[in-house]
Amino acid sequence: MRKVALITGITGQDGAYLTRLLLGKGYVVHGIIRRASTFNTERLDDIYRDPHEPEVRLFLHYGDMSDSTVLRRVLRLANPDEVYNLAAQSHVRVSFDQPEYTADTVALGTLRLLEAVREFQQEAGKRVKFYQAGSSEMFGASPPPQNERTPFYPRSPYAVSKVAAHWFAVNYREAYGMFICNGILFNHESPLRGETFVTRKVTRAVGRIVHGLQRKLYMGNLDARRDWGYAGDYVEAMWLMLQQDEPDDYVIATGESHSVRELLDVAFGYVGLDWRDYVEQDPRYFRPTEVDHLLGDATKARKKLGWEPKVRFRELIQMMVEHDLELAARERTLREAGHTVVLPGTATP
Ligand code: NDP
Ligand code: GDR
């Protein structure tokens, strides 16, 4: 019998990598997607097949973390062995603009799903393993290095909501004996990273500057330090957590931190440019309360899960720059052929 997984947030960066990983392991994968007026399945398009075809193992269902009736219905329909809760309004800066919505999706959304899974387990008479996508943002102002014993000190509506989701998950594990793991993942990036997160914003700009499509890059705080890893490595840790005999919480990180300035050095340096000629600061990209330094200690994951990051910072940024150089080259070709190219995120604040 094939294992069945249900993924919320399947259209996001991690959803796309996790889906590929699970399909590769023989799983049937169900995902919840939001209805939007434009297509939002771009990251899945190359692996999605018409469900009428034989042997299809990826199924998408409309739903939203704010709608518990749909969560219940999709659980019954999918009948999963594992649930990965990745859905979130995941942008820290945006969470200051949309605090209530962020809390609804991230904190209450998790509670709705936990409650739906609890009921589903009783109805179906089976145990479902649950992964909760926690974040290093929960540590916030707690000094580095951070591990599973570091106190949470969240610094944004997003981070506060993730802390609430974390404790909902712990409480459901303790109260109902559910198999729930909190992954506390530090920043992880890839060529599929959303274009308003700092790594991708920089690598996208490098590609466009090289191809003469952009002159300036407006940024926020260049002094912040983050522990940046590769999304492909991190989704493997999610899966490993659910393959253990006992549920537990794990920090997933590389153990190396770099400043945004160093990120600029590596990304622009890769194409022989000096970022100081292009980057300007714009106050709208600063956060009312910033997280200065995140640096994870993933010793527990290494010992218990046998997990280690394979891709390091420089290699990761180079992989992203190479991808975005190619993307910009295609954009230039289209423009030169007289096509109107509308960039995703052009109107994003
Ligand atoms: P993305 O922002 O790329 O993806 C978020 C996903 O959640 C998208 O599929 C999005 O749908 C979906 N979503 C947003 N709001 C709702 C909603 N109300 N109902 C249903 N789905 C919704 O995030 P990542 O893939 O990078 O991250 C995955 C998870 O891991 C998130 O919970 C994030 O907070 C957390 N995390 C991420 C880290 C990282 O560095 N990437 C680090 C630590 C934690 P749509 O495509 O329609 O917008
Ligand atoms: P973060 O990621 O807030 O850590 O959350 P992001 O890439 O947005 O910011 C990282 C750091 O870079 C600084 N910064 C800028 N950030 C953005 N987005 N745009 C800029 O122009 C800019 N200039 C400087 C930020 O101030 C910050 O210090 C990510 C998300 O994926 C969360 O969902 C996840 O939980 C955490 O990582 C771990």
Side-chain angles (χ1 to χ4, degrees):
M1 286 289 280
R2 290 188 185 280
K3 274 195 186 174
V4 179
L6 171 63
I7 304 176
T8 72
I10 195 169
T11 55
Q13 169 191 255
D14 290 6
Y17 278 96
L18 182 63
T19 301
R20 283 167 177 78
L21 179 82
L22 296 179
L23 289 175
K25 291 183 184 296
Y27 279 62
V28 171
V29 177
H30 291 261
I32 293 180
I33 64 167
R34 300 195 288 176
R35 194 271 158 182
S37 68
T38 51
F39 290 118
N40 58 1
T41 52
E42 196 183 335
R43 294 185 178 102
L44 300 172
D45 285 347
D46 59 320
I47 51 170
Y48 185 75
R49 283 165 50 203
D50 189 314
H52 300 97
E53 287 180 27
E55 306 290 315
V56 167
R57 286 192 283 120
L58 172 59
F59 302 94
L60 302 178
H61 312 272
Y62 282 113
D64 197 291
M65 296 308 286
S66 61
D67 186 345
S68 51
T69 55
V70 179
L71 299 179
R72 289 193 165 78
R73 182 172 352 115
V74 174
L75 276 165
R76 279 198 293 269
L77 221 135
N79 190 16
D81 304 296
E82 297 173 6
V83 171
Y84 295 85
N85 183 31
L86 309 185
Q89 189 303 93
S90 76
H91 203 285
V92 173
R93 177 68 193 82
V94 172
S95 78
F96 288 98
D97 301 327
Q98 289 192 282
E100 187 179 333
Y101 175 73
T102 303
D104 190 25
T105 310
V106 176
L108 284 180
T110 302
L111 179 61
R112 288 182 191 107
L113 186 61
L114 285 166
E115 191 57 14
V117 169
R118 184 173 79 85
E119 281 179 19
F120 170 74
Q121 286 194 141
Q122 284 168 351
E123 273 170 33
K126 69 190 263 190
R127 200 173 193 212
V128 177
K129 294 185 168 185
F130 190 105
Y131 173 82
Q132 168 55 22
S135 163
S136 51
E137 280 294 299
M138 301 190 299
F139 296 127
S142 273
Q146 294 98 359
N147 65 21
E148 293 80 3
R149 291 178 304 283
T150 305
F152 295 145
Y153 186 163
R155 298 268 287 170
S156 63
Y158 166 80
V160 173
S161 305
K162 280 288 181 189
V163 171
H166 175 94
W167 285 115
F168 281 137
V170 171
N171 182 241
Y172 270 60
R173 184 167 69 207
E174 293 174 354
Y176 305 116
M178 289 169 70
F179 191 110
I180 300 171
C181 297
N182 287 293
I184 306 177
L185 273 53
F186 282 61
N187 299 53
H188 45 280
E189 321 292 313
S190 74
L192 297 185
R193 184 58 145 153
E195 302 199 6
T196 60
F197 296 99
V198 75
T199 52
R200 190 78 200 286
K201 181 168 166 177
V202 168
T203 61
R204 195 76 174 93
V206 167
R208 301 190 79 243
I209 287 168
V210 166
H211 284 280
L213 299 162
Q214 182 174 333
R215 280 195 306 277
K216 287 281 171 207
L217 172 61
Y218 295 95
M219 307 272 303
N221 174 19
L222 306 185
D223 296 319
R225 296 185 73 86
R226 289 290 182 276
D227 180 330
W228 279 295
Y230 172 52
D233 290 343
Y234 284 42
V235 296
E236 191 135 9
M238 296 176 187
W239 176 77
L240 279 170
M241 286 178 214
L242 297 198
Q243 309 318 305
Q244 305 306 302
D245 292 334
E246 295 299 327
D248 208 342
D249 303 334
Y250 298 89
V251 158
I252 300 297
T254 68
E256 234 182 83
S257 77
H258 299 272
S259 65
V260 175
R261 228 175 275 279
E262 287 170 61
L263 161 68
L264 289 165
D265 278 337
V266 173
F268 279 79
Y270 187 63
V271 294
L273 297 177
D274 184 341
W275 60 267
R276 291 165 196 83
D277 297 333
Y278 304 93
V279 172
E280 283 182 24
Q281 282 183 302
D282 182 334
R284 73 179 170 156
Y285 296 116
F286 284 85
R287 287 130 196 229
T289 38
E290 174 65 288
V291 169
D292 295 325
H293 193 178
L294 293 174
L295 168 65
D297 166 11
T299 307
K300 179 175 171 183
R302 195 178 64 240
K303 286 192 177 150
K304 290 199 162 182
L305 305 176
W307 179 86
E308 279 197 63
K310 296 186 190 82
V311 179
R312 292 287 168 182
F313 176 67
R314 186 169 284 273
E315 193 188 339
L316 169 68
I317 302 307
Q318 289 176 356
M319 173 204 305
M320 293 173 69
V321 170
E322 273 172 21
H323 174 274
D324 286 338
L325 280 168
E326 217 177 291
L327 206 61
R330 267 187 268 154
E331 186 190 340
R332 191 175 70 175
T333 308
L334 284 172
R335 278 181 196 259
E336 283 169 358
H339 293 279
T340 310
V341 179
V342 180
L343 283 181
T346 307
T348 309

